[in-house]
Amino acid sequence: MAMTEASRQVGVVLRRRSIDNPWVDHMWSPVMLLDDVPATAPWTVLSSEADATIYYAGPASIDLFSSDTANYRDNLADGEPRIWVALRRQDGGSELELTKVTADPTEGEAMFESGCDVIGTVPMPADIASWIAAFVDQFHVERAFHKRQRDRGGGDRGQAPDVSPGEGRDRT
């Protein structure tokens, strides 16, 4: 069976907040996803306060794969479905680039171990949740779990060669 894919463009909004820390003077965090990509240039300041600035970071693609529908279904069933957003510093500098936006909780949690500089979750907008639910309804195939049985020593696989006790063991 061929894998089916679907993609949707979204806009990503981030917050840069000043923090009181001896090693870092600010912290980035995703704030929200926009259902549609606005006609706004990436890294446009949307609002600014004394200790925080909100930016439109730019467009990103949410990609769905038919092999991951169980993960999307679990995310939607959670009650508060989330979208994971990952950003990485470009060439070790201060500029960030969007690296991944995903609705797959397994992939999202794995991003925390990837070395990305900024990873966070945002609430899943209702339009995106409806789009993902329709994809799951159309392409989800329940896969039965089959527990593997141990091979209990049939045949010669995994057995030690025939050696008499004491034979072939040179102990000095």
Side-chain angles (χ1 to χ4, degrees), residues 1 8 17 21 58 81 95 100 106 134 154 167 169:
M1 175 186 240
R8 179 173 177 164
R17 184 172 52 97
N21 185 298
E95 292 185 29
K100 187 74 176 172
T106 303
E167 202 178 275
R169 295 187 184 122

Side-chain angles (χ1 to χ4, degrees), residues 99-145:
T99 56
K100 187 74 176 172
V101 175
T102 184
D104 181 346
T106 303
E107 183 179 21
E109 292 300 321
M111 289 189 308
F112 281 101
E113 298 175 8
S114 71
C116 288
D117 289 331
V118 178
I119 299 169
T121 63
V122 295
M124 185 183 295
D127 280 357
I128 294 172
S130 297
W131 172 67
I132 294 172
F135 184 86
V136 169
D137 288 346
Q138 184 175 0
F139 296 108
H140 181 69
V141 175
E142 198 64 47
R143 291 176 176 86
F145 177 74

Side-chain angles (χ1 to χ4, degrees), residues 24-53:
V24 180
D25 62 349
H26 65 276
M27 186 171 95
W28 289 93
S29 59
V31 176
M32 67 184 294
L33 285 187
L34 304 174
D35 294 339
D36 297 310
V37 175
T40 303
W43 299 106
T44 298
V45 174
L46 299 178
S47 69
S48 188
E49 299 172 4
D51 64 341
T53 304

Side-chain angles (χ1 to χ4, degrees), residues 58-121:
S61 177
I62 297 177
D63 301 318
L64 302 180
F65 302 93
S66 58
S67 59
D68 297 331
T69 56
N71 296 340
Y72 307 139
R73 183 192 60 195
D74 293 346
N75 189 4
L76 293 169
D78 186 33
E80 292 183 30
R82 311 293 293 174
I83 298 287
W84 283 257
V85 177
L87 299 104
R88 180 168 287 140
R89 296 202 186 285
Q90 294 180 353
D91 301 322
S94 61
E95 292 185 29
L96 295 173
E97 67 176 322
L98 283 166
T99 56
K100 187 74 176 172
V101 175
T102 184
D104 181 346
T106 303
E107 183 179 21
E109 292 300 321
M111 289 189 308
F112 281 101
E113 298 175 8
S114 71
C116 288
D117 289 331
V118 178
I119 299 169
T121 63

